Amino acid sequence: MTRLSVPRDRIRVVLTESIHPGAVQALSDAGYHNIETIKGAPTGSALRKVLADTHILGIRSQTKISADVLAAAPRLFCIGCFCIGTNQVDVDAAKRQGIPVFNAPYSNTRSVAELALGEIVMLFRRIPEKSTLAHAGIWRKTARGAHEVRGRTLGIVGYGHIGSQLSVLAEAIGMRVLYFDIVDKLALGNAVPVRSLNKLLAEADAVSLHIPDTPATRKMIGAAEIARMRPGAILINAARGSVVDLEALAEALRDGRLGGAAIDVFPQEPADGEERLQTPLQGLTNVILTPHVGGSTEEAQAAIGAAVADKLVTYSDNGSTVGAVNFVEVALPVQQGVTRFLHIHRNVPGVLMRINGVLSSRNLNIAAQYLRTDADVGYMVSDVDGQLAEGQGIRRALEAIDGTIRSRFLY
Ligand code: NAI
């Protein structure tokens, strides 16, 4: 196993917000045993105290890592967001401090796609309505208005990770799939791309939205678009709350122009369990409302735990920044018979020459070098022949180079 300039048992890992135990297991399997887990999301001085001697930090969405907080974390060298978003971290400040930030963008893709498919089936059978009646003791046993999904057309808006998964699942149960995306995407199976949103709306029996929140997608489905949908069609939104005009949707459902809807995301979502959800869709028949749980499954949590822990270990053990959201991407081979110096610096002239000066002045043979820069930061990795246990002296010389943000070595 590669040795690190800070030995693994001295690398302090802190995981906040009850991150999945699989992450602790993965880190521990990789030799990182100095792990503290914290239940909640620490703030203020408690957070600063935790970070004062932490090397690796794992958080979910509630631990806020601002530039000020980062300034109080001198040893921190990478952050894992055990979730999809990374807005809770000032990722630019982290980059300037030489800290790559990792996340798990695809670990809950399947969960969202499965929920959308399940809802399509439920809505075509008018189950929400029948279930509400049955809860009230009313026995409405009828086939009227209930349909199989087989042979029906599903229109997917946004054929990215979730949209394309849904496409495969929907075809497997016999749906015909159309999709609209602003980017040219490979059609999976027999799915057919359409040139415009309007064409998709006019042809689909069910429309499922899987686009991000951008200026172009805000209120993308408003009164005009709903009017273009087929009579009795259903709408699924498990994407972002900003993309559908819920007033217009409620009106179309009340009028019976649309057959049903499933909404998982809202323009204003309650911050916690105390706050109440308010939406014009409440009380309407054949409408499924869920509290932004599209991606919330135990499987997704486990997958997120494994994926982010793996990225943190890979960066710590090998230096690869693949998958970092804020950092130049350097994919490094497995280290064999070399000592690897990792040097993160401000992107100013002359740094590389000085790094090579330090290495050549010690008669070291450079086996390979990797360099990526962006406007602010450069990341230079030098593999030199041999296992240099005395790497510390070289590291000190590298750290003395003007513009250095941080350095490590692996041997
Ligand atoms: P993705 O980035 O893989 O796919 C998005 C697709 O939308 C891309 O193919 C992109 O080209 C396309 N797109 C962007 N703007 C468009 C436009 N104006 N018109 C048509 N297509 C457009 O994203 P992914 O992972 O599939 O996620 C999709 C959405 O699902 C995101 O908004 C995400 O926030 C949301 N999501 C919701 C979850 C939940 O719990 N409900 C969980 C995970 C993701």
Side-chain angles (χ1 to χ4, degrees):
M1 196 190 253
T2 317
R3 283 180 280 176
L4 317 180
S5 44
V6 178
R8 281 182 189 78
D9 55 7
R10 280 186 26 222
I11 291 187
R12 183 169 133 83
V13 183
V14 171
L15 304 177
T16 67
E17 301 181 63
S18 307
I19 285 167
H20 195 275
V24 177
Q25 191 59 51
L27 285 156
S28 160
D29 289 350
Y32 295 82
H33 302 301
N34 184 357
I35 303 175
E36 184 186 347
T37 55
I38 297 175
K39 256 190 168 178
T43 56
S45 57
L47 179 57
R48 285 185 173 75
K49 194 165 167 232
V50 163
L51 289 182
D53 56 356
T54 294
H55 297 91
I56 298 179
L57 174 67
I59 58 173
R60 290 173 68 191
S61 56
Q62 297 305 315
T63 310
K64 309 286 181 232
I65 306 296
S66 63
D68 282 355
V69 168
L70 287 167
R75 300 200 174 136
L76 193 62
F77 71 82
C78 55
I79 297 176
C81 296
F82 286 78
C83 50
I84 312 301
T86 53
N87 292 343
Q88 68 280 37
V89 180
D90 185 336
V91 292
D92 286 331
K95 179 180 77 173
R96 288 193 298 275
Q97 215 168 298
I99 301 171
V101 177
F102 299 94
N103 66 341
Y106 316 123
S107 299
N108 64 6
T109 297
R110 175 65 180 228
S111 302
V112 183
E114 283 191 12
L115 181 67
L117 184 70
E119 289 176 335
I120 292 165
V121 174
M122 291 295 145
L123 292 174
F124 273 124
R125 297 292 292 272
R126 303 196 72 83
I127 296 299
E129 191 181 335
K130 291 186 171 94
S131 172
T132 307
L133 291 171
H135 275 282
I138 300 165
W139 192 251
R140 186 70 46 83
K141 181 170 160 51
T142 172
R144 197 174 317 123
H147 298 281
E148 291 185 353
V149 299
R150 180 169 48 169
R152 295 197 157 245
T153 300
L154 169 62
I156 297 174
V157 184
Y159 204 67
H161 291 93
I162 298 171
S164 55
Q165 271 280 324
L166 175 61
S167 169
V168 173
L169 298 179
E171 280 198 343
I173 59 167
M175 296 192 84
R176 172 179 168 247
V177 174
L178 305 178
Y179 68 88
F180 169 66
D181 200 295
I182 44 167
V183 173
D184 187 22
K185 294 278 175 148
L186 172 70
L188 300 181
N190 302 311
V192 178
V194 293
R195 287 237 186 88
S196 72
L197 177 63
N198 286 348
K199 188 166 164 48
L200 179 139
L201 296 173
E203 285 195 31
D205 300 303
V207 174
S208 198
L209 306 174
H210 301 288
I211 57 260
D213 175 30
T214 67
T217 62
R218 262 166 234 151
K219 294 262 168 81
M220 186 184 203
I221 305 294
E225 290 71 27
I226 289 170
R228 288 196 184 96
M229 289 173 69
R230 300 189 64 170
I234 63 172
L235 179 70
I236 313 284
N237 183 18
R240 297 297 290 266
S242 54
V243 303
V244 178
D245 178 342
L246 293 184
E247 294 288 351
L249 175 62
E251 203 181 312
L253 289 161
R254 267 194 300 269
D255 292 357
R257 276 184 283 130
L258 290 193
I263 304 295
D264 186 46
V265 287
F266 300 85
Q268 274 93 40
E269 297 185 357
D272 51 39
E274 303 301 306
E275 219 179 295
R276 289 185 66 79
L277 171 69
Q278 289 192 330
T279 163
L281 302 173
Q282 276 154 337
L284 295 177
T285 47
N286 215 33
V287 173
I288 300 172
L289 301 179
T290 45
H292 204 146
V293 290
S296 306
T297 61
E298 293 188 11
E299 288 74 11
Q301 285 307 315
I304 288 170
V308 179
D310 184 56
K311 288 178 190 176
L312 293 173
V313 167
T314 302
Y315 177 63
S316 179
D317 278 4
N318 157 292
S320 284
T321 51
V322 176
V325 297
N326 63 337
F327 226 73
V328 285
E329 192 162 287
V330 176
L332 296 165
V334 174
Q335 192 176 333
Q336 267 177 339
V338 295
T339 300
R340 178 167 286 171
F341 290 95
L342 315 172
H343 190 268
I344 300 170
H345 50 267
R346 279 187 282 115
N347 189 4
V348 291
V351 175
L352 309 189
M353 203 179 67
R354 288 190 198 106
I355 293 176
N356 284 335
V358 167
L359 300 177
S360 62
S361 69
R362 285 160 171 83
N363 267 342
L364 297 172
N365 189 41
I366 298 174
Q369 273 188 324
Y370 312 83
L371 168 72
R372 290 293 299 276
T373 58
D374 68 12
D376 307 310
V377 168
Y379 182 32
M380 168 90 149
V381 179
S382 310
D383 283 353
V384 304
D385 281 334
Q387 285 195 305
L388 307 178
E390 95 307 355
Q392 199 64 31
I394 299 167
R395 184 181 171 200
R396 241 181 255 126
L398 291 175
E399 296 242 312
I401 295 171
D402 216 18
T404 299
I405 298 173
R406 62 176 64 235
S407 78
R408 296 193 292 137
F409 71 95
L410 321 171
Y411 63 109

